[in-house]
Amino acid sequence: MNILILGNAQDAHASAIKNALMEAGVMADYLDTSLFPTQLRISWKPNQTGHLILPEGRRLEIEDIHSVYWRNFSGVSVPPLSDRHQQQIAINDSMSTLRSLMQSCQPRWVNSWQAYQFHKEKPLQLSKVKQIGVTIPQTLISNDPEEVINFIQSLDKVIFKPVYGGAHTKLVTADHLEPERLSLALSFSPVTIQEYVPGTNIRSYVIGKSVYTAEIRSSQLDFREDVEAELIPIELPATVQQQCLDIAQALMLEWTAIDWRRRHDGEYFFLEANPSPMFLHFERQTRFPITRKLVELLMH
């Protein structure tokens, strides 16, 4: 059995999965796309046969790859060319080859290219989750200052964050709404505005049909900024437990971390589902068998 890890040894999570697979007696290799096309070789035919030649020289037939664990996709690294047009052609050709391989080859992807793309369109993710009956905070994505002001004034307390991701959640203040500042900011990009849901942060890890959940006790608005956040294992209500599985299915996720906000009255609000979440700290604090379950999923 051959299993690939999309990433490299510099990533602690990729390394942990590779080590766990090797301990289970499985042949595991890194698929580091940043080494393509300089050191990683790919040959592929439209009938979905082909092979990889890994940087150390080992040849791996695509049909012999059992599964792929998606940790980090690094794009490609084309050597610099003096001709910018030829440089772009080389980048496009390399990316097209990778995208074709990742979307068409038969191994089980945990998670797939399609699932990862879904995550990059967070407004679409929210819409899909709402369609299956899961509660989400009142949300606006806009670069229209007037619409943003009207939305904010309709709520008691509001947060904002990037549409795509990449920065922490912040509370909207009067300074943010200063007309000149707001207009300038929105001329660069739209923003996601959401109602602030008072309550507790909850994270659920879904691995296949298993769900592991902890309450995150933190004084910070965005718990990712709090290195002292306390993780307390909890049991979800049966309806929310099922929603975790439904969300994973709707977003094509074999595994994910779902972030919730639990209001004081016990209602759960969906915030986000991540297709490649960090988990080692969570696992150490809660003792949940996340690594073992991921290995079982990849070997299944």
Side-chain angles (χ1 to χ4, degrees):
M1 182 184 296
N2 293 284
I3 295 178
L4 293 179
I5 295 114
L6 191 63
N8 57 50
Q10 282 66 56
D11 183 282
H13 292 75
S15 178
I17 292 297
K18 184 175 187 294
N19 291 338
L21 286 167
M22 299 289 281
E23 289 174 5
V26 176
M27 181 63 75
D29 294 283
Y30 294 115
L31 177 60
D32 185 354
T33 63
S34 70
L35 302 179
F36 183 68
T38 56
Q39 300 177 57
L40 172 66
R41 309 294 183 201
I42 297 175
S43 296
W44 180 80
K45 296 178 181 178
N47 61 359
Q48 299 182 20
T49 62
H51 64 266
L52 309 176
I53 299 180
L54 301 174
E56 63 273 18
R58 192 165 84 86
R59 177 176 170 132
L60 184 59
E61 301 298 325
I62 290 175
E63 63 185 18
D64 292 334
I65 302 171
H66 181 76
S67 59
V68 184
Y69 171 67
W70 185 307
R71 175 52 197 155
N72 278 315
F73 177 54
S74 303
V76 300
S77 296
V78 173
L81 299 173
S82 56
D83 187 323
R84 290 186 179 180
H85 179 63
Q86 290 300 319
Q87 172 93 21
Q88 192 58 53
I89 289 175
I91 293 171
N92 290 343
D93 286 350
S94 298
M95 281 298 299
S96 180
T97 299
L98 271 180
R99 287 196 301 265
S100 297
L101 179 72
M102 295 168 76
Q103 293 181 77
S104 66
C105 72
Q106 295 305 309
R108 182 180 198 173
W109 287 78
V110 181
N111 286 295
S112 68
W113 174 272
Q114 290 84 356
Y116 187 77
Q117 297 308 307
F118 215 152
H119 171 69
K120 292 164 66 175
E121 315 302 340
K122 293 184 189 297
L124 183 61
Q125 184 187 87
L126 281 171
S127 177
K128 187 70 174 179
V129 168
K130 183 175 175 59
Q131 286 173 23
I132 63 172
V134 178
T135 303
I136 67 171
Q138 294 186 61
T139 304
L140 171 70
I141 295 94
S142 178
N143 70 329
D144 180 345
E146 183 177 354
E147 189 70 20
V148 167
I149 291 292
N150 290 339
F151 181 79
I152 289 171
Q153 290 178 342
S154 71
L155 298 167
D156 293 331
K157 199 172 183 180
V158 180
I159 58 94
F160 71 96
K161 54 189 175 182
V163 178
Y164 181 86
H168 293 149
T169 299
K170 302 292 183 185
L171 281 171
V172 173
T173 67
D175 288 342
H176 293 122
L177 303 181
E178 191 278 319
E180 188 173 343
R181 177 180 177 180
L182 180 64
S183 181
L184 178 62
L186 295 178
S187 70
F188 287 114
S189 71
V191 66
T192 296
I193 308 288
Q194 283 186 328
E195 67 169 315
Y196 172 77
V197 179
T200 305
N201 290 308
I202 306 291
R203 172 165 283 193
S204 300
Y205 282 87
V206 183
I207 312 163
K209 297 300 182 183
S210 300
V211 181
Y212 300 99
T213 301
E215 175 182 321
I216 304 171
R217 295 182 181 174
S218 171
S219 60
Q220 301 292 321
L221 176 65
D222 192 318
F223 66 83
R224 293 171 298 177
E225 297 183 284
D226 186 359
V227 295
E228 297 182 355
E230 187 178 5
L231 306 174
I232 310 296
I234 64 169
E235 283 291 329
L236 287 175
T239 53
V240 182
Q241 185 95 353
Q242 184 59 49
Q243 284 182 340
C244 287
L245 300 175
D246 294 343
I247 289 167
Q249 182 177 19
L251 301 180
M252 301 177 287
L253 294 166
E254 297 268 1
W255 107 280
T256 182
I258 299 173
D259 287 330
W260 305 91
R261 189 76 167 167
R262 186 184 62 206
R263 203 165 58 185
H264 300 307
D265 62 3
E267 185 170 9
Y268 281 71
F269 288 74
F270 170 86
L271 302 180
E272 181 181 0
N274 191 323
S276 182
M278 294 188 288
F279 61 88
L280 292 176
H281 175 70
F282 187 97
E283 184 175 50
R284 284 191 294 267
Q285 293 290 316
T286 62
R287 306 282 185 177
F288 289 149
I290 297 174
T291 298
R292 177 170 63 82
K293 286 292 186 178
L294 278 172
V295 167
E296 291 174 0
L297 185 64
L298 290 163
M299 293 176 62
H300 182 70

